[in-house]
Amino acid sequence: RGMANRPKNPTSTKIHDYWYYICILCVTFISLRFDTKTQDPFNLPKLASLVLFLWLPLFLVIRKLNTRPNKLIAFVFAFTGGFLIALLVSALKTVSFYQSFVGVYQRNLGVATYVFFILIMLGTALNSTFRNSKFTLLTFVILGSLQSIYGLVQQLGADPFPWDNPYNPMIGTFGNPNFSSAFLGCSAVAALTLIFQISLKMRLLLGIQVILSLALVINSNSSQGLMAFVIGGSFFLAGIVFINHRR
């Protein structure tokens, strides 16, 4: 009787990786963050938040350094290391090292920002499991839905915030139609991935999000979103083919 009360597979219940979840939620917060009272309402608040939350992805990377790396992890470290070295060499050869390190005004895509992006990518990739990867996809899709709704409001000319924007009106919470377009293209791929994993009703909603995202990308006159969707969708379809037809 005592044996009957025990779970059949004690190892099947795994502890949730709350640090991973917190890191994903912090990245989501950074994506949504802006401040209408600053001269640069989008990039400066995001950069300040990146500095504030930098320790989280760094912690996720450090705690995995003592694990035995496989070929994929070794390739990722080698690739990102080469990318970072190329960034540093390029920055050192430029006339304005400050601009190379911090980035152009109202973009801030310098070496420092890319270091943050690399740490976020490594921290999430090294700690990814089947359970928390679904959480990441779901969070990505929810964030994409919010950006799609706000982008539609902007395209319709009903933005509640009077941005001084000389570009396409769809800037989302990124302050730039190119950034917003690229994000919508990536989030559409995440929605496409989840379509095959959920109920029929949710598939309909995700299909609507994919269509709305692509429509907004086209209206943004920015090719980044379509490129991101085509590349991401191609990898997704290649994965589906590999799973179903391994030969």
Side-chain angles (χ1 to χ4, degrees):
R1 184 177 179 181
M3 293 293 292
N5 291 331
R6 295 181 182 179
K8 293 181 180 180
N9 187 6
T11 61
S12 62
T13 303
K14 297 181 180 180
I15 300 176
H16 287 278
D17 191 352
Y18 292 108
W19 287 116
Y20 179 94
Y21 296 151
I22 293 173
C23 183
I24 295 298
L25 293 177
C26 287
V27 173
T28 304
F29 168 77
I30 294 171
S31 301
L32 295 172
R33 175 147 163 64
F34 61 86
D35 188 352
T36 57
K37 297 180 181 180
T38 60
Q39 187 175 2
D40 184 353
F42 296 100
N43 297 285
L44 285 180
K46 293 183 190 302
L47 189 61
S49 300
L50 277 173
V51 175
L52 181 64
F53 296 121
L54 176 63
W55 65 273
L56 259 175
L58 182 61
F59 166 73
L60 293 178
V61 172
I62 291 176
R63 75 174 186 176
K64 286 292 183 178
L65 290 180
N66 59 346
T67 59
R68 185 177 180 180
N70 54 37
K71 292 182 180 180
L72 180 60
I73 294 177
F75 172 78
V76 171
F77 269 107
F79 183 80
T80 52
F83 176 68
L84 183 58
I85 291 173
L87 282 177
L88 292 174
V89 171
S90 177
L92 292 174
K93 288 185 176 182
T94 56
V95 177
S96 175
F97 178 77
Y98 173 82
Q99 191 176 75
S100 300
F101 187 77
V102 178
V104 182
Y105 175 66
Q106 290 190 339
R107 281 184 177 262
N108 295 333
L109 285 178
V111 175
T113 307
Y114 278 108
V115 169
F116 298 153
F117 291 163
I118 288 173
L119 285 176
I120 291 171
M121 187 273 291
L122 288 177
T124 53
L126 294 177
N127 293 270
S128 180
T129 63
F130 179 76
R131 174 181 291 178
N132 60 28
S133 63
K134 290 190 69 174
F135 173 82
T136 304
L137 278 176
L138 182 60
T139 306
F140 201 177
V141 168
I142 293 174
L143 182 57
S145 300
L146 295 176
Q147 294 290 348
S148 297
I149 294 172
Y150 187 35
L152 180 60
V153 171
Q154 291 177 326
Q155 288 282 19
L156 295 175
D159 196 330
F161 301 102
W163 303 120
D164 183 13
N165 174 30
Y167 309 105
N168 188 281
M170 195 196 73
I171 58 176
T173 61
F174 299 99
N176 186 297
N178 294 329
F179 296 165
S180 184
S181 170
F183 179 84
L184 289 179
C186 293
S187 64
V189 176
L192 186 66
T193 305
L194 277 182
I195 284 178
F196 293 87
Q197 305 179 32
I198 56 177
S199 63
L200 183 59
K201 292 182 179 180
M202 293 302 297
R203 289 180 186 178
L204 179 60
L205 293 176
L206 290 178
I208 293 174
Q209 180 189 339
V210 172
I211 295 173
L212 177 60
S213 297
L214 294 180
L216 290 172
V217 166
I218 294 173
N219 287 330
S220 70
N221 298 321
S222 175
S223 60
Q224 284 90 332
L226 287 177
M227 291 173 61
F229 181 77
V230 170
I231 294 173
S234 300
F235 275 106
F236 171 71
L237 292 177
I240 292 294
V241 172
F242 176 75
I243 290 174
N244 295 319
H245 308 282
R246 290 184 181 272
R247 287 185 298 178

